[in-house]
Amino acid sequence: QICLSLVKLLFYLAHSPLGSIVLLDFQPRQFVMVDGNLKVTDMDDASTEELSCKEDNDCTLDFPTKSFPLKCSVVGKCEGINEKKNLFNAYRYFFTYLLPHSAPAALRPLLSDILNATGDLRYGINETLKAFENVLHLYKSGLYLQKRPLLLKDYISLKGFRTVEGEDYKCWPSYSHLGCLLSIHSAEEAAAICNSQSHCQSFIVTQQRTWTGRPLASFQSSWTDLIPDTNAVVYIKRSASSGERL
């Protein structure tokens, strides 16, 4: 969410009515999340000036660990230097820390492609935004889910119940520090996640939604202490419930 919001912001800066705008003091502290969108808090160091040049050798974009040769345009400006400076700063301050984590395994190669392409400046802001929107579409639609055996049949579902909230086993990346709370595309995906975790015996699908509209599921090591909740469904492994009365 943070990276996509940042890319949308940089897309606007690259195509603003004033021309391509560069953020000269590009630091994480210069941004804040407002209603799920990343905003720039300080525009004092923003500029529409692009480096003047006479030849391509005048257009080297330098960073502490990398340098990039750019082209000198016919009007004597280094082509795309503002856009590329913003994009590489997004890569080194945000993408490298956030993109490798939290995504479903099937989407990680696509995020690695974005990471590598922006790190080498092979992508401009248009290509980067398109790549992010493609990943978001796959994530929201569930198209990233590979064909796998149907596992939900191995669970008993109880509508209108949930377990008592409390600290349980933890997983990564959880929306709660008290237990294992993950976003899912469907109960079928949740069953696959539960089967992959040795502690999991049940999971609860709630009406809570993430910013992409995906429901949240809480994965539990037991299924005792059920309480009524009209907005939840608890799924219990048949193997865990065998010999017990529901």
Side-chain angles (χ1 to χ4, degrees):
Q1 181 181 15
I2 293 171
C3 291
L4 175 61
S5 187
L6 176 59
V7 169
K8 288 181 177 179
L9 173 61
L10 298 187
F11 179 85
Y12 173 79
L13 294 179
H15 301 285
S16 84
L18 299 176
S20 183
I21 299 174
V22 63
L23 301 176
L24 298 175
D25 186 19
F26 197 117
Q27 299 284 340
R29 64 173 178 268
Q30 301 283 28
F31 300 89
V32 64
M33 290 292 284
V34 180
D35 296 328
N37 295 306
L38 209 65
K39 306 285 186 181
V40 183
T41 61
D42 185 3
M43 292 293 289
D44 289 346
D45 294 311
S47 174
T48 58
E49 291 295 320
E50 292 196 309
L51 186 64
S52 297
C53 58
K54 292 183 178 180
E55 56 184 30
D56 291 349
N57 289 337
D58 298 329
C59 293
T60 301
L61 183 56
D62 289 315
F63 292 95
T65 58
K66 279 189 176 183
S67 295
F68 300 95
L70 304 182
K71 296 289 186 181
C72 183
S73 71
V74 293
V75 296
K77 298 290 184 180
C78 295
E79 285 185 0
I81 192 168
N82 288 352
E83 173 187 328
K84 293 178 185 298
K85 185 177 291 186
N86 284 341
L87 190 54
F88 190 79
N89 278 327
Y91 159 80
R92 65 179 182 142
Y93 287 120
F94 287 88
F95 298 172
T96 54
Y97 297 104
L98 299 177
L99 284 189
H101 310 291
S102 305
L107 292 178
R108 287 175 195 163
L110 297 179
L111 294 178
S112 293
D113 288 344
I114 294 174
L115 191 65
N116 294 331
T118 53
D120 294 334
L121 286 185
R122 287 185 285 109
Y123 280 1
I125 192 62
N126 294 357
E127 295 87 353
T128 303
L129 178 57
K130 184 177 180 180
F132 266 103
E133 289 180 335
N134 178 55
V135 173
L136 179 64
H137 171 67
L138 295 174
Y139 184 61
K140 291 173 70 174
S141 65
L143 291 172
Y144 68 92
L145 294 170
Q146 301 171 346
K147 290 184 178 180
R148 62 182 74 183
L150 299 179
L151 302 173
L152 198 59
K153 66 182 186 303
D154 298 328
Y155 289 77
I156 297 169
S157 65
L158 294 174
K159 294 182 179 180
F161 289 93
R162 64 174 173 83
T163 57
V164 176
E165 292 184 8
E167 190 166 348
D168 207 319
Y169 77 91
K170 298 175 177 60
C171 67
W172 174 262
S174 177
Y175 282 81
S176 169
H177 67 280
L178 296 177
C180 185
L181 184 66
L182 303 174
S183 78
I184 57 169
H185 176 258
S186 63
E188 186 65 56
E189 183 182 17
I193 293 172
C194 189
N195 276 29
S196 71
Q197 297 175 347
S198 59
H199 296 291
C200 186
Q201 295 297 317
S202 66
F203 61 89
I204 304 139
V205 178
T206 70
Q207 294 296 312
Q208 290 178 277
R209 294 290 189 271
T210 68
W211 66 282
T212 60
R214 286 162 57 99
L216 290 176
S218 176
F219 297 85
Q220 310 277 340
S221 60
S222 66
W223 55 271
T224 56
D225 300 325
L226 295 178
I227 59 175
D229 186 339
T230 57
N231 295 319
V233 182
V234 60
Y235 294 83
I236 304 164
K237 279 185 178 179
R238 293 183 183 276
S239 58
S241 64
S242 60
E244 301 287 345
R245 296 183 63 186
L246 295 178

